[in-house]
Amino acid sequence: MKITVSAKEFQTFISAISNVFRGGASLKVHKEYIECITFSEDSASIMSCAKIHILNENEINLSANEEYVINVPDLQKFSRLLDMNDEETFTFEIKGNYVYFKNSKVKGAKFILDDLPAQKIHKHVTSKWFSSFTPKFETDLTKNQIKEILHLSSFADGSNKVYFYQDGPNLIAELNDRTIDNIDNVSIIVSDSGTGTIKDKVIIAVDSLSSLILTTPSIKFAVVEIGNKIKSMEAILFTLESNGVLIKYLFNSKVR
């Protein structure tokens, strides 16, 4: 099976996965796209779903509902091959338990695939699941606003938490730890045009924001509710879309 994708977008796709978990990934090849569900190291704080469009979909011998899974032990193998690729597209071939690559510069390269996945992904966590959430609050952020929050973490250096909450129409990011007395903290307005309502504060680790691939000018920020009727909690869903790549990140909230 030969697969052709945009070289630039495939690098974004690979980087998005690796930023969440560096221990390998299972890529699901469909007729029109490749997707990957990834959990962070602790299997809880961050979940991501990345999709990239396949350019030669007419040559992919799969039915509309069929998928072909490859377990890649080291995604950086793809990155190194991309470094040796000067073309706008990137083509690789899957044969048996190997990925093969060649172009005008590389006479031939191959790397072996794993028999088992690097992570155990819960069955209910699918791309449809990521698309099933109804936002309780949503707004658009810029990549510079995410960078500002990360930059200010050195000011509030006694904590690794950021509290997102609503103050009227404004979305506030507060770098603080409210469980600790006498701590340096700072709050900034990151959006003044949100719609909907955040019930409580959503708390995440500041450094987890560095997992976001900031390749698009705008990032959709949404607060969603996860769980069931008995027990549910708010979480943050970040969505980035660029040409043929779609990446969704779900950040689960800390309890306090």
Side-chain angles (χ1 to χ4, degrees):
M1 180 189 296
K2 282 190 177 180
I3 298 172
T4 300
V5 290
S6 159
K8 180 180 179 180
E9 303 305 338
F10 193 56
Q11 183 61 71
T12 298
F13 177 78
I14 293 299
S15 297
I17 298 166
S18 299
N19 276 12
V20 175
F21 182 74
R22 294 190 174 275
S26 296
L27 307 185
K28 295 182 179 180
V29 181
H30 296 257
K31 186 169 183 63
E32 298 179 350
Y33 60 91
I34 306 170
E35 73 173 17
C36 181
I37 306 291
T38 312
F39 290 176
S40 54
E41 191 76 39
D42 61 8
S43 299
S45 56
I46 308 174
M47 303 177 188
S48 71
C49 177
K51 280 187 176 184
I52 182 171
H53 178 64
I54 293 175
L55 299 177
N56 64 329
E57 58 189 77
N58 293 332
E59 301 172 26
I60 304 298
N61 190 25
L62 294 172
S63 64
N65 298 319
E66 192 177 1
E67 65 182 28
Y68 186 83
V69 181
I70 60 171
N71 300 313
V72 182
D74 182 2
L75 287 172
Q76 296 312 306
K77 301 278 187 180
F78 273 124
S79 293
R80 293 185 186 100
L81 294 177
L82 282 161
D83 290 341
M84 301 295 290
N85 184 69
D86 296 328
E87 301 173 14
E88 292 186 358
T89 60
F90 179 80
T91 300
F92 61 95
E93 186 173 6
I94 306 166
K95 287 197 296 186
N97 209 34
Y98 289 91
V99 168
Y100 292 83
F101 172 80
K102 64 179 180 179
N103 63 6
S104 58
K105 184 180 292 185
V106 179
K107 185 176 180 181
K110 71 175 184 179
F111 64 85
I112 194 169
L113 299 170
D114 275 346
D115 294 326
L116 299 174
Q119 287 187 304
K120 185 177 180 180
I121 305 298
H122 305 309
K123 288 184 178 180
H124 76 280
V125 181
T126 64
S127 58
K128 287 184 178 180
W129 181 77
F130 272 90
S131 300
S132 68
F133 298 109
T134 300
K136 305 297 181 184
F137 174 91
E138 58 185 339
T139 189
D140 288 333
L141 303 181
T142 67
K143 60 183 179 182
N144 286 335
Q145 287 168 322
I146 300 296
K147 290 178 179 178
E148 284 172 354
I149 295 171
L150 289 167
H151 177 70
L152 284 171
S153 64
S154 61
F155 179 91
D157 55 0
S159 167
N160 184 36
K161 295 178 183 177
V162 56
Y163 297 70
F164 287 100
Y165 59 92
Q166 200 173 1
D167 182 13
N170 298 326
L171 175 66
I172 308 297
E174 177 184 331
L175 291 97
N176 197 0
D177 189 333
R178 296 190 178 187
T179 67
I180 302 173
D181 295 328
N182 301 319
I183 186 174
D184 296 342
N185 61 80
V186 58
S187 300
I188 61 170
I189 298 171
V190 290
S191 173
D192 60 3
S193 58
T195 58
T197 303
I198 302 174
K199 286 195 306 187
D200 202 354
K201 301 171 184 67
V202 186
I203 312 166
I204 64 174
V206 179
D207 56 15
S208 66
L209 290 174
S210 60
S211 299
L212 298 176
I213 290 291
L214 303 177
T215 56
T216 56
S218 179
I219 301 160
K220 290 190 179 298
F221 173 102
V223 173
V224 299
E225 207 164 58
I226 61 172
N228 52 47
K229 293 181 180 179
I230 299 173
K231 184 179 180 181
S232 64
M233 63 186 299
E234 291 182 321
I236 298 174
L237 183 68
F238 290 98
T239 303
L240 294 83
E241 191 165 6
S242 174
N243 297 323
V245 176
L246 174 66
I247 307 162
K248 292 178 179 286
Y249 302 86
L250 186 71
F251 287 66
N252 287 313
S253 179
K254 294 176 178 289
V255 176
R256 63 194 186 112

